[in-house]
Amino acid sequence: MWKTILRRFVVMIPQVFILSVIVFALAQAMPGDPFTGLITPETDPAVIENLREQAGLNDPIPVQYVRWLGNALQGDFGQSYTHKISVQSIIGQRASNTVMLSLLSFILTYAIAIPLGMLAGRYNNSILDKMVVIYNYVSYAIPTFVLALLMLWLFGYSLNWFPTSGSVDVTIPAGTMEYYLDKAYHLILPAITYALLGTTMIIQYLRSEVVDAKTQDYVKTARSKGVPEKVVYSRHIFRNSALPIASTMGYQITGLIGGSVFIEQIFAFPGMGQLFISSLNSRDYSVIVALTLLFGVATLVGTLLSDIIMTIVDPRIRID
């Protein structure tokens, strides 16, 4: 399997190269540049033109790309025009917040979806099953920003249970136990909101698989041998029904990282998603290209990760 994984990583190299070309070209096609916002009636056009020349923005696009690629291969993604620090530094500051939010959302997603899917499948056509199906329809239909705003208004402003912005109280000294507890406290509301939106597919898949598995011969055989019903569902039905959701775990993880834009923006959570939106507004090309490329690479890694998870869950499957 390790040889196959290595081969897949080698195949990713041209894919990442093509992705970088497309992303860089699209960023250059955006109207304006980082210095457009500096132009006022009192601004000397020569000053702005000099800034563009110093930044290399007047060079042909292929020349800019080759220069950027050469630096990127050395771990240098350029300077952020807005934050006045290196791109890798500003992304590094935000990446930990996004990763923590994504991991907590991932855990909550499966903690909610697996019990609901199992219960709905076990007691299909019951009132409980219908309630789960209704929840599924609502969570599937409601837009991300609508649910986020509702959760923010209800639990943040009305009930005042959770913070409404930020990732930590700036008055708390960094490195203390109180600091880490406060960071976890700020994560709860956006993570729950994100998790509720991600349970739909898992519940639906698991419910369908459980309903189908209940009629299989191996389940009937287990029951005829006197295996307790709890064990039948936990060891036999769930293990086989989990294959479809296991195949999507890799996509789920990377999808949470790349899809946190709306959640982070609405909750004013300082992660990579919020950084991406602010960089688009300020036309910070260096940050936009680096983040988009990072999200694309995460998707490619997620594809491989899903295949690896499938081989662990079901040894009969081998990745090619």
Side-chain angles (χ1 to χ4, degrees):
M1 185 176 72
W2 292 109
K3 291 183 179 179
T4 303
I5 294 174
L6 180 61
R7 186 165 63 247
R8 289 281 291 273
F9 271 113
V10 172
V11 172
M12 285 182 189
I13 295 176
Q15 292 176 328
V16 173
F17 172 73
I18 295 172
L19 177 63
S20 69
V21 173
I22 296 173
V23 169
F24 192 88
L26 290 175
Q28 295 297 320
M30 292 174 59
D33 58 46
F35 303 111
T36 301
L38 302 178
I39 299 176
T40 64
E42 295 78 22
T43 304
D44 184 356
V47 174
I48 301 299
E49 189 62 26
N50 184 49
L51 290 174
R52 288 172 176 152
E53 186 67 31
Q54 292 179 4
L57 298 179
N58 291 334
D59 294 338
I61 292 179
V63 174
Q64 293 185 48
Y65 173 76
V66 171
R67 181 171 58 238
W68 173 84
L69 181 62
N71 293 332
L73 291 175
Q74 301 176 47
D76 180 11
F77 289 90
Q79 292 288 117
S80 168
Y81 298 104
T82 304
H83 301 276
K84 308 302 180 184
I85 60 176
S86 66
V87 172
Q88 52 268 33
S89 295
I90 185 62
I91 292 179
Q93 294 171 6
R94 303 293 189 96
S96 59
N97 288 335
T98 296
V99 169
M100 286 190 294
L101 175 61
S102 300
L103 287 177
L104 181 56
S105 301
F106 178 81
I107 294 171
L108 291 174
T109 296
Y110 282 88
I112 295 170
I114 290 178
L116 289 181
M118 288 295 295
L119 288 172
R122 182 173 181 176
Y123 303 106
N124 61 305
N125 298 323
S126 66
I127 296 178
L128 176 61
D129 178 35
K130 292 176 181 177
M131 291 175 63
V132 173
V133 170
I134 291 173
Y135 160 77
N136 236 25
Y137 284 145
V138 172
S139 64
Y140 179 77
I142 191 169
T144 302
F145 69 92
V146 172
L147 179 61
L149 289 173
L150 284 174
M151 297 285 283
L152 187 63
W153 170 77
L154 178 60
F155 297 104
Y157 291 106
S158 297
L159 299 176
N160 200 29
W161 287 359
F162 300 102
T164 57
S165 63
S167 63
V168 68
D169 189 336
V170 294
T171 62
I172 300 176
T176 62
M177 179 60 68
E178 185 183 3
Y179 175 84
Y180 293 113
L181 289 175
D182 192 64
K183 282 188 77 74
Y185 182 47
H186 279 73
L187 281 171
I188 294 174
L189 187 58
I192 291 175
T193 304
Y194 210 2
L196 291 175
L197 292 166
T199 57
T200 306
M201 180 182 66
I202 301 170
I203 292 175
Q204 187 60 40
Y205 279 166
L206 189 55
R207 177 187 178 277
S208 300
E209 290 294 322
V210 170
V211 171
D212 180 65
K214 289 194 300 184
T215 62
Q216 298 299 315
D217 291 338
Y218 69 89
V219 174
K220 295 178 181 178
T221 301
R223 284 176 174 151
S224 66
K225 291 180 178 180
V227 177
E229 196 72 5
K230 182 179 179 180
V231 177
V232 169
Y233 276 93
S234 61
R235 292 189 181 179
H236 298 277
I237 294 179
F238 176 70
R239 185 172 182 179
N240 288 277
S241 301
L243 289 177
I245 61 174
S247 65
T248 64
M249 276 188 174
Y251 298 107
Q252 190 86 9
I253 296 172
T254 55
L256 286 170
I257 295 175
S260 61
V261 175
F262 289 113
I263 295 295
E264 291 183 359
Q265 187 69 12
I266 292 173
F267 286 94
F269 188 80
M272 292 191 294
Q274 190 192 50
L275 176 63
F276 184 73
I277 294 294
S278 63
S279 300
L280 284 175
N281 292 332
S282 61
R283 299 177 179 85
D284 200 341
Y285 291 146
S286 301
V287 179
I288 294 171
V289 172
L291 282 175
T292 308
L293 188 61
L294 178 62
F295 293 151
V297 171
T299 302
L300 294 175
V301 173
T303 304
L304 177 60
L305 189 58
S306 293
D307 292 340
I308 294 174
I309 293 173
M310 281 294 292
T311 62
I312 294 173
V313 175
D314 189 352
R316 295 172 299 176
I317 299 174
R318 291 290 179 266
I319 56 177
D320 296 323

